[in-house]
Amino acid sequence: MKRDWLPLLLIPVLGLAALPLVGSAASWVTLTVAGLAMGLMIFIMASGLTLTFGLMDVLNFGHGAFIAVGAFVAASVMLALAPWMTADSLWLNLAAIGPAVLAAVVVSGLLGLAFERVLVRPVYGQHLKQILVTTGGLIVAEQLLKVIWGPEQITLSRPTALRGAFLLGDIAIEKYRVLAVVVGLVVFAGLALTLNRTRIGLLIRAGVENGEMVEALGYRIRRLFVGVFAVGSALAGLGGAMWGLYQETVTAAIGAQVAVLVFIVIIIGGLGSVGGCFIGALLVGLTANYIGFLAPKVALGSNILLMALILLWRPQGLYPVAKR
Amino acid sequence: MTALLSLRGVETRIGRYHILHGVEFDVAEGGLTMLLGRNGAGKTTTLRTIMGLWRAAAGEIRFDGRDITKMETPDIARLGIAYVPESMAIFADLTVQENLVLAARAGPPDPKRLEWIFGRFEALKRFWTLPAGFLSGGQKQMLAVARAIVEPRRLLLIDEPTKGLAPAIIANMIDAFRELKDGESTLLVVEQNFAFARQLGDAVAVMDDGKVAHQGGMAAFAADSALQQHLLGMGMGEHQ
Amino acid sequence: MVKQALRAILSDDLPRSRWLAVVLVAILVGLAVAPFLFPGAKSLNVAAKICVFIVLAASFDLLLGYTGIVSFAHTMFFGIGAYGVAIALTRMGASWAAVAVGVVAGLAVAIVLAAVIGLFSLRVRTIFFAMITLAVASAFAILASQLSDLTGGEDGLNYRLPAELRAPFSFGDTLFGVRLNGRLLDYYLVYLASVVLVLALLRIVNSPFGSVLMAIRENPFRAEAIGYRTVVYRTIASCIAAAAAALAGVLLALWSSQTNPDTTLSFDIMVDILLMVVIGGMGTMYGAVLGAVLLVFAQNYLQDLLAIAHKALAGVPLLANFFHPDRWLLWLGVAFILCVYFFPSGIVGRLRNRR
Ligand SMILES: Nc1ncnc2c1ncn2[C@@H]1O[C@H](COP(=O)(O)OP(=O)(O)OP(=O)(O)O)[C@@H](O)[C@H]1O
Ligand SMILES: [Mg+2]
């Protein structure tokens, strides 16, 4: 429901709780920005997945493939434009990143269309087959990436303008993270505006609740779904490109690795809810960074703990989608 | 009068269950046909099959002379058929306004028509910007009906519209349905409230165990209490 | 007489296809005489791996094929069993007591964990369970590599097996030119344990409990309406599968004298099991046997075939990459998808249809 603000409070609560544990304010700011950046990148990758699930009850276990493809495509373009990447000019850097990201978005979006047509459509409504076939799709996609780009990992470095950190007193904030936060917020705002202010958005929200009734009102929900699937894949590609640049390495396994975080986020948020996905992603990003600082050994396991706690509180996730 | 909608030998299976066994009846253009029957007789399944939400395994459904048996639900709706399901299926996360905006396919809802709807269902105006999930059961029912009539439609399929409504609102609904059938629409209404059904219905089709057991004029049916007893298992007007 | 005994052993679930029967007998006999037919450390290793994976795949089929739920945490239980024995042998020295402690501890952890995950997430829906198990399994793999004091981290554990299972131990001279040593004994331990475990699983799926599982798979709502607590049944199935997977892990640990994340916990192994069960034939038990044999063979020998194709295509740039020996998973992945679409009961289903 719209008026349930409690989950939103979790973010400041988590941040404030971490402050005394972290100790120094400077480290806390650095960690918080890092957590938000990571969370927002995951959000970009997860939003499409949660929407397609809500809309058509389809969960694509191969979503990671789009993430990986986005990362590889962007990396290739950036390597091809290496001179611009290393140039000491923000504009030239952006002139390299822009086409790279665009290519990543377009290719993974198109791949999404193909994936939907070939793998997902024949198994609508059959959950078991859906899980198996989309997992198979991930396996094949991962191998194809190795066929095309070779089995070795690709290393790439961030462009000159995005290296280093902004220094505010003794607080250091990495430039790239700031960019990630900005892009993430723009994507979130774009999605929120589309969902709340446009007719398509209205249809999507209605379809998430009750697709059958949307059809009975005369709308072809299948088309809507294909569109959402493609946009979701494209966003995964965007997220993958950003993630690759963040890690500065790209491997074929990147998709499967990040997909686990994506799954955790959409479970936490409540399957089908974009708002829940947003909060879940921020919680996961922040927790990973705080715990990574406080107790590095258990950092990645902390996500599971977070998920378990949230599910104990709300078994259907933060914002269970009203179904039928 | 010609039949706007006609069903011939319609069989519907849901999974392994065979629910409709050759349903046959006609809905005359410009009238209000009541679809009656005991619980579980197959009324809801019939409406869903007409809408294409279940697939007829055999038989034929014609709308305005056109075979719609195999058409997709959105295409059926676009022929001018509106559906109010038994579960109401309002969009709880959307506001009352958004529910109606979505139902008006042709563009923003016509203000005059909205006023007419508000005149019948005043609550909708009051809670215009509230998420529909917060409406009471009866108010949700009003919204579900309003969604079907926010634009002119040729045929309205309405499943138990009076469920949970106060008598005053039922009276309003009767008025609204009368105006609709005198004007632009033909109605097929499933109803348990026989008092309501006999006031409003021109014709009646009674289902029993997945078939239409009786079809005819409402006046004759309302007068024949033995037949009612036999088909519906109740005396006149007893059942609510 | 023989037929009756066979029916009893196979819990009345006969292969129902001459070809399938032939293949199964070939596998059973082939594995039994493998040490004599194909002497040498590498082929014995392949044979033992096949035994272990047959159990692992069969236990996964109990979930996927018979219960209709997808778990991505099956390798986690496999790893728990393997690490249980490995840790015990590392800590307590190479004794059978250590093995016993390891088995008991591994089984206990696996069953409790399976029960918790099941009760937590099986009441919702298949997809939810699949996602949760995926998340838990990946966290577990990370945890195992982080707790290096206990698990040896990424490198895993190297330990000594009980003396009777080591090469120096000898219980006779030679037979058909094969030395009767501890390795041979170890192989037959693995072999016999695998046969027993598969027969036990066969018994379970053909019991009344198994029928309930299949009823739930077909229509959970109906089963619930008839009065079966679906969550409970599914959770029990998931505990049994976890226990069997843990025992497969025990066998692996007892065979290879080293246990590490790559061979027990990795997602690659999970993918292998999925491929085995789906290509072999879901919900048939025998399919898991066939699938395991096929996949272990493919891993070891499909590469050689691909290498030939790769050579032939050496001039063609991109195309050649498709046939690179390391891309065998690509082809099995395609086969997997085709199986799900067109042959949901896999190879076994095909064999049974032609009789
Ligand atoms: N999804 C379904 N799966 C299986 N059987 C169903 C399903 N929906 C309805 N049925 C069965 O079909 C029969 C007809 O149901 P239907 O809902 O059409 O009856 P109805 O006449 O609308 O009853 P009521 O007056 O109670 O609304 C019932 O026996 C019902 O149990
Ligand atoms: Mg009904």
Side-chain angles (χ1 to χ4, degrees):
Chain A
M1 282 291 138
K2 281 191 170 164
R3 281 136 221 250
D4 180 8
W5 295 108
L6 220 50
L8 205 54
L9 278 179
L10 286 177
I11 296 169
V13 166
L14 180 66
L16 290 179
L19 183 54
L21 293 173
V22 171
S24 107
S27 324
W28 182 82
V29 173
T30 307
L31 288 173
T32 304
V33 174
L36 293 177
M38 178 176 165
L40 284 163
M41 281 191 271
I42 300 175
F43 167 74
I44 293 175
M45 298 185 250
S47 51
L49 191 63
T50 206
L51 267 185
T52 43
F53 180 81
L55 201 54
M56 291 302 271
D57 208 19
V58 163
L59 195 78
N60 176 12
F61 275 79
H63 193 69
F66 309 130
I67 298 173
V69 166
F72 270 101
V73 169
S76 298
V77 174
M78 285 189 278
L79 289 178
L81 299 175
W84 291 359
M85 292 286 282
T86 49
D88 199 8
S89 141
L90 177 62
W91 294 114
L92 274 181
N93 291 168
L94 288 182
I97 294 185
V101 166
L102 193 68
V105 166
V106 170
V107 173
S108 38
L110 290 176
L111 186 73
L113 284 179
F115 211 89
E116 197 277 337
R117 190 69 253 278
V118 178
L119 294 178
V120 180
R121 192 172 299 182
V123 289
Y124 271 129
Q126 302 166 275
H127 280 161
L128 191 77
K129 285 194 169 184
Q130 212 174 75
I131 299 173
L132 294 176
V133 162
T134 53
T135 306
L138 179 66
I139 298 172
V140 171
E142 216 171 84
Q143 294 295 317
L144 285 178
L145 288 176
K146 290 182 180 171
V147 167
I148 297 171
W149 275 281
E152 280 83 36
Q153 67 175 37
I154 297 180
T155 40
L156 72 164
S157 45
R158 280 176 225 153
T160 324
L162 294 176
R163 265 181 241 157
F166 297 115
L167 289 173
L168 307 166
D170 56 350
I171 301 175
I173 299 175
E174 271 189 48
K175 290 179 185 166
Y176 185 72
R177 288 178 176 156
V178 176
L179 179 74
V181 168
V182 171
V183 175
L185 289 177
V186 168
V187 168
F188 177 64
L191 278 178
L193 281 178
T194 310
L195 284 175
N196 290 309
R197 294 289 155 78
T198 67
R199 197 172 179 85
I200 294 269
L202 215 54
L203 272 172
I204 294 174
R205 279 161 59 214
V208 165
E209 259 190 69
N210 191 337
E212 207 170 62
M213 194 59 217
V214 171
E215 295 212 290
L217 289 178
Y219 298 98
R220 295 191 180 87
I221 201 163
R222 288 221 35 98
R223 254 189 231 170
L224 188 66
F225 171 67
V226 173
V228 170
F229 198 96
V231 170
S233 316
L235 284 175
L238 170 64
M242 292 170 67
W243 192 266
L245 213 48
Y246 178 58
Q247 302 280 337
E248 301 197 280
T249 55
V250 177
T251 67
I254 185 178
Q257 282 160 9
V258 185
V260 172
L261 290 177
V262 167
F263 284 149
I264 293 177
V265 161
I266 68 174
I267 290 176
I268 289 180
L271 297 172
S273 158
V274 173
C277 173
F278 182 70
I279 298 177
L282 293 184
L283 289 176
V284 164
L286 288 173
T287 312
N289 277 277
Y290 292 143
I291 306 276
F293 177 80
L294 296 169
K297 287 219 159 194
V298 291
L300 281 157
S302 64
N303 291 321
I304 297 292
L305 201 64
L306 180 70
M307 181 177 83
L309 288 176
I310 301 249
L311 291 182
L312 282 175
W313 177 41
R314 294 196 170 172
Q316 309 267 4
L318 293 175
Y319 291 110
V321 170
K323 270 270 178 196
R324 258 138 264 202
Chain B
M1 269 197 291
T2 53
L4 181 64
L5 178 78
S6 72
L7 282 78
R8 288 291 170 269
V10 171
E11 311 259 337
T12 299
R13 291 164 201 275
I14 307 177
R16 275 180 297 165
Y17 307 97
H18 196 162
I19 313 281
L20 299 186
H21 308 269
V23 172
E24 309 211 350
F25 66 93
D26 292 328
V27 174
E29 172 130 40
L32 194 153
T33 302
M34 282 289 171
L35 190 59
L36 307 180
R38 289 182 242 259
N39 292 122
K43 306 179 294 290
T44 298
T45 308
T46 302
L47 293 197
R48 285 180 59 88
T49 307
I50 297 169
M51 272 323 279
L53 293 167
W54 296 130
R55 287 271 147 232
E60 193 184 58
I61 304 170
R62 285 189 166 270
F63 174 70
D64 199 17
R66 187 159 169 184
D67 185 356
I68 62 167
T69 322
K70 299 226 151 54
M71 280 170 74
E72 300 281 335
T73 301
D75 301 325
I76 295 174
R78 278 163 187 269
L79 293 176
I81 305 183
Y83 175 49
V84 180
E86 194 174 4
S87 62
M88 304 179 283
I90 54 134
F91 303 118
D93 260 352
L94 274 54
T95 62
V96 171
Q97 176 181 20
E98 288 170 331
N99 268 275
L100 290 179
V101 165
L102 210 55
R105 265 198 318 272
D110 172 18
K112 269 212 236 99
R113 202 166 168 97
L114 275 183
E115 278 314 314
W116 174 70
I117 291 174
F118 289 155
R120 298 289 173 292
F121 307 127
E122 184 270 327
L124 298 184
K125 185 172 191 172
R126 206 156 10 114
F127 298 117
W128 190 233
T129 56
L130 191 73
F134 291 122
L135 295 178
S136 77
Q139 290 162 346
K140 283 181 185 152
Q141 188 68 61
M142 296 179 213
L143 177 58
V145 171
R147 219 169 37 180
I149 61 179
V150 68
E151 279 178 348
R153 299 277 183 251
R154 294 192 63 195
L155 176 65
L156 305 176
L157 307 175
I158 307 180
D159 204 342
E160 305 202 24
T162 61
K163 205 169 56 182
L165 290 187
I169 302 295
I170 293 186
N172 284 350
M173 198 167 283
I174 291 178
D175 287 348
F177 288 177
R178 283 223 170 97
E179 283 178 53
L180 285 166
K181 82 168 178 182
D182 290 342
E184 62 211 17
S185 302
T186 302
L187 288 86
L188 174 62
V189 181
V190 170
E191 192 46 70
Q192 295 287 0
N193 178 343
F194 191 65
F196 175 84
R198 70 178 294 188
Q199 268 190 59
L200 206 53
D202 302 315
V204 61
V206 188
M207 294 194 67
D208 192 23
D209 198 16
K211 280 199 270 300
V212 171
H214 170 84
Q215 174 161 27
M218 181 54 102
F221 184 68
D224 190 344
S225 59
L227 189 60
Q228 287 164 37
Q229 181 67 36
H230 172 62
L231 291 171
L232 303 175
M234 59 167 194
M236 229 167 74
E238 267 172 33
H239 195 85
Q240 258 296 348
Chain C
M1 256 311 277
V2 175
K3 192 135 195 194
Q4 247 160 23
L6 202 61
R7 275 185 181 280
I9 291 173
L10 295 182
S11 315
D12 251 354
D13 186 359
L14 301 180
R16 301 206 313 277
S17 145
R18 193 180 314 134
W19 284 107
L20 180 56
V22 169
V23 173
L24 287 171
V25 170
I27 292 172
L28 187 75
V29 174
L31 288 173
V33 300
F36 298 96
L37 267 187
F38 317 101
K42 171 163 184 207
S43 48
L44 199 60
N45 203 24
V46 171
K49 277 258 164 69
I50 289 180
C51 294
V52 169
F53 274 97
I54 283 177
V55 176
L56 189 58
S59 62
F60 191 60
D61 194 25
L62 172 64
L63 286 182
L64 183 61
Y66 288 88
T67 317
I69 52 183
V70 184
S71 161
F72 285 104
H74 210 59
T75 46
M76 175 172 84
F77 301 116
F78 183 56
I80 288 174
Y83 271 102
V85 170
I87 292 170
L89 283 172
T90 311
R91 295 280 160 124
M92 300 170 58
S95 70
W96 288 103
V99 173
V101 168
V103 171
V104 171
L107 275 179
V109 172
I111 292 173
V112 169
L113 204 54
V116 171
I117 297 176
L119 291 175
F120 213 100
S121 50
L122 275 173
R123 50 182 83 251
V124 210
R125 32 202 314 201
T126 336
I127 280 190
F128 203 68
F129 183 71
M131 290 169 79
I132 299 255
T133 51
L134 183 64
V136 171
S138 74
F140 188 87
I142 291 163
L143 201 68
S145 63
Q146 295 282 327
L147 298 177
S148 45
D149 295 343
L150 194 61
T151 62
E154 291 288 348
D155 300 330
L157 296 169
N158 289 296
Y159 43 89
R160 283 154 67 84
L161 296 171
E164 291 80 1
L165 302 181
R166 290 203 299 259
F169 176 79
S170 146
F171 59 99
D173 208 8
T174 58
L175 185 66
F176 305 123
V178 175
R179 289 189 44 213
L180 301 180
N181 65 6
R183 294 314 288 159
L184 195 68
L185 204 59
D186 197 353
Y187 176 76
Y188 282 108
L189 172 73
V190 171
Y191 174 78
L192 283 179
S194 306
V195 173
V196 170
L197 282 169
V198 170
L199 290 178
L201 285 167
L202 205 56
R203 173 126 306 180
I204 290 170
V205 297
N206 286 293
S207 68
F209 173 75
S211 327
V212 177
L213 289 185
M214 284 184 269
I216 294 174
R217 176 192 67 189
E218 288 312 317
N219 191 340
F221 303 106
R222 200 178 134 85
E224 188 87 46
I226 301 174
Y228 294 117
R229 303 277 311 277
T230 53
V231 186
V232 175
Y233 275 91
R234 285 178 157 176
T235 303
I236 293 174
S238 140
C239 289
I240 296 174
L247 289 175
V250 166
L251 295 180
L252 185 74
L254 282 181
W255 171 252
S256 63
S257 79
Q258 56 150 314
T259 293
N260 62 51
D262 277 351
T263 52
T264 57
L265 291 171
S266 70
F267 191 68
D268 294 347
I269 308 249
M270 193 60 238
V271 167
D272 290 348
I273 313 177
L274 260 177
L275 293 171
M276 290 173 189
V277 172
V278 169
I279 294 178
M282 287 184 269
T284 61
M285 248 340 132
Y286 296 121
V289 177
L290 258 59
V293 174
L294 193 78
L295 210 84
V296 177
F297 263 112
Q299 273 168 347
N300 288 285
Y301 305 106
L302 179 63
Q303 303 197 358
D304 301 341
L305 269 177
L306 284 172
I308 298 171
H310 186 57
K311 265 222 189 82
L313 289 168
V316 200
L318 192 58
L319 197 61
N321 286 353
F322 280 92
F323 296 95
H324 189 280
D326 286 345
R327 293 289 83 75
W328 58 275
L329 194 54
L330 172 66
W331 299 104
L332 287 183
V334 172
F336 172 86
I337 294 173
L338 292 177
C339 269
V340 177
Y341 280 159
F342 301 112
F343 316 115
S345 50
I347 299 177
V348 167
R350 296 304 291 171
L351 289 177
R352 280 182 173 167
N353 278 343
R354 56 187 305 204
R355 294 245 166 184

